[in-house]
Amino acid sequence: MEPLFATSQTEALVPRIREFVLTELVPLETTEHLTGNFSTVARILDQKRELVRKAGLWGLQHSVGEGGLGLSLCEFGQVSEVLAWSPFGHYAFNCQAPDIGNMELLHRHASATLREHYLKPLKEGHIRSCFSMTEPEFAGSNPTRLGTTAERDGDNWVINGHKWFTSSADGATFAIVMAVTNPDAAPHRRASMLLVPTDTPGFELVRNISIMGEPSDHWGSHAEVRYTDVRVPLGNLIGDEGAGFTLAQERLGPGRIHHCMRWIGISERCLDLMCRRAATRELEEGVMLGEKQFVQGWIAESRAQIDAARLMVLRTAHNIDQRGAAAVRDQISEIKFFVADVMLTVIDRAIQTYGAMGITDDIVLPWYYRHERGARIYDGADEVHKTALARSILKGYGLDTRKSKPVSNRHDA
């Protein structure tokens, strides 16, 4: 825990959550549970969720008024790092993507009816949801270009379109769908968000996409979905018509803090594994792997990079709490590409330190490698964020490089 950003809340919660993760979740990281289908561990994790409730740790991300613990974004970020020590941490505490972002959207912008029918059971962990935005036919780096449409027909919206990387769609009760409702409006005012129950006729889960050889199911899935004449009531609109892009940006601001702090937690776990291996692996009689300067360099650089990343992210989270996401847009871009690169570098160093074992499913490292490589792509490809940040910096020097406006990539996690 970083003392600079510690509060009475985090000082009380972090040790308790760390103990829970270490004793209840890390032992579940078996070969069976870390490869293939998430459903193999889901029932066990549902039992762990009940233990979380009994411990009074449920609803970390919600306000006191919503029945949560009232953590600020900066406080929740510090908790999120601890949860990320295990791949099962966020799910066990019901603050996993995409549900955590969907809860925020529904809380702020959905009607009372939608909140009662969908937000309440989602917060209680009785159902899951998915977020359906990315399309295979259009570049994800431009969210103003969508082929999915929603047209009014009497008291209904009729949705037609093709999505993919609709993460966690397998078994989800509803999807939040980004669709064009105002095709003649300005690019950033064309799309809206609609809540679609997944049992609605015309909703088709085509497949769970295989990611580096692993087509997972349940919460761990990334689905291809088709919407064919899907009819939902007009009241299933979330927020204002044409506000889809604005809501997506609002969702992604805190979402990037969640992701980045989770990546820092993963980095800490991988550094810990690297150090344990270096300190105990004998290369020759009386000579440990950690005595080699290459490995020492990896350990030292990883420590410095993780510490730097944490300070950057918590500073950004603090500033969002104080000033709002729009005011710190450059910092959000900065942490996104910086932290993703740190995490993937540390994962790779840890794998290399383990040698052949590092690429086996006997340990958690390959799971991280498979599931986190996308960090440099989703929620804004690194190249997009770097370009946006550089343009903003250069504008302060009087150089306007924006011949074409860079736009954020996204992933439905």
Side-chain angles (χ1 to χ4, degrees), residues 101-152:
N102 289 347
M103 290 180 208
E104 282 293 318
L105 275 179
L106 294 177
H107 174 67
R108 294 185 179 185
H109 300 287
S111 67
T113 299
L114 291 181
R115 291 199 303 270
E116 178 65 24
H117 288 165
Y118 297 102
L119 176 57
K120 184 177 179 181
L122 187 63
K123 286 169 54 180
E124 293 172 349
H126 299 318
I127 63 173
R128 291 190 294 104
S129 64
C130 56
F131 189 71
S132 203
M133 184 172 178
T134 301
E135 300 181 357
E137 290 84 8
F138 294 91
S141 58
N142 188 351
T144 65
R145 297 188 70 214
L146 295 172
T148 301
T149 60
E151 299 180 351
R152 289 175 179 264

Side-chain angles (χ1 to χ4, degrees), residues 21-222:
V21 171
L22 291 175
T23 59
E24 299 291 343
L25 302 182
V26 170
L28 300 178
E29 296 172 4
T30 64
T31 300
E32 178 188 10
H33 295 156
L34 291 174
T35 57
N37 294 330
F38 188 84
S39 59
T40 60
V41 72
R43 291 183 180 179
I44 301 173
L45 290 177
D46 286 342
Q47 297 170 5
K48 301 300 183 184
R49 285 181 162 197
E50 292 307 309
L51 297 180
V52 172
R53 293 181 200 272
K54 292 178 181 178
L57 297 172
W58 192 260
L60 293 170
Q61 70 274 30
H62 301 308
S63 67
V64 174
E66 296 176 88
L69 300 181
L71 299 183
S72 68
L73 183 59
C74 189
E75 289 173 324
F76 178 76
Q78 295 169 75
V79 167
S80 184
E81 176 185 342
V82 181
L83 292 175
W85 190 267
S86 170
F88 307 132
H90 286 81
Y91 184 89
F93 282 72
N94 198 38
C95 49
Q96 72 283 355
D99 293 307
I100 187 170
N102 289 347
M103 290 180 208
E104 282 293 318
L105 275 179
L106 294 177
H107 174 67
R108 294 185 179 185
H109 300 287
S111 67
T113 299
L114 291 181
R115 291 199 303 270
E116 178 65 24
H117 288 165
Y118 297 102
L119 176 57
K120 184 177 179 181
L122 187 63
K123 286 169 54 180
E124 293 172 349
H126 299 318
I127 63 173
R128 291 190 294 104
S129 64
C130 56
F131 189 71
S132 203
M133 184 172 178
T134 301
E135 300 181 357
E137 290 84 8
F138 294 91
S141 58
N142 188 351
T144 65
R145 297 188 70 214
L146 295 172
T148 301
T149 60
E151 299 180 351
R152 289 175 179 264
D153 183 20
D155 294 330
N156 294 298
W157 295 102
V158 181
I159 304 169
N160 285 281
H162 184 201
K163 302 286 188 179
W164 76 338
F165 282 90
T166 298
S167 299
S168 307
D170 187 6
T173 298
F174 68 90
I176 293 180
V177 183
M178 187 89 143
V180 174
T181 53
N182 306 76
D184 297 325
H188 291 80
R189 297 292 302 173
R190 289 173 184 164
S192 302
M193 287 191 181
L194 302 165
L195 189 150
V196 177
T198 55
D199 60 359
T200 306
F203 178 96
E204 178 191 2
L205 197 159
V206 178
R207 60 172 174 143
N208 289 332
I209 303 166
S210 180
I211 306 298
M212 293 190 179
E214 186 178 302
S216 189
D217 67 358
H218 200 273
W219 171 69
S221 63
H222 302 279

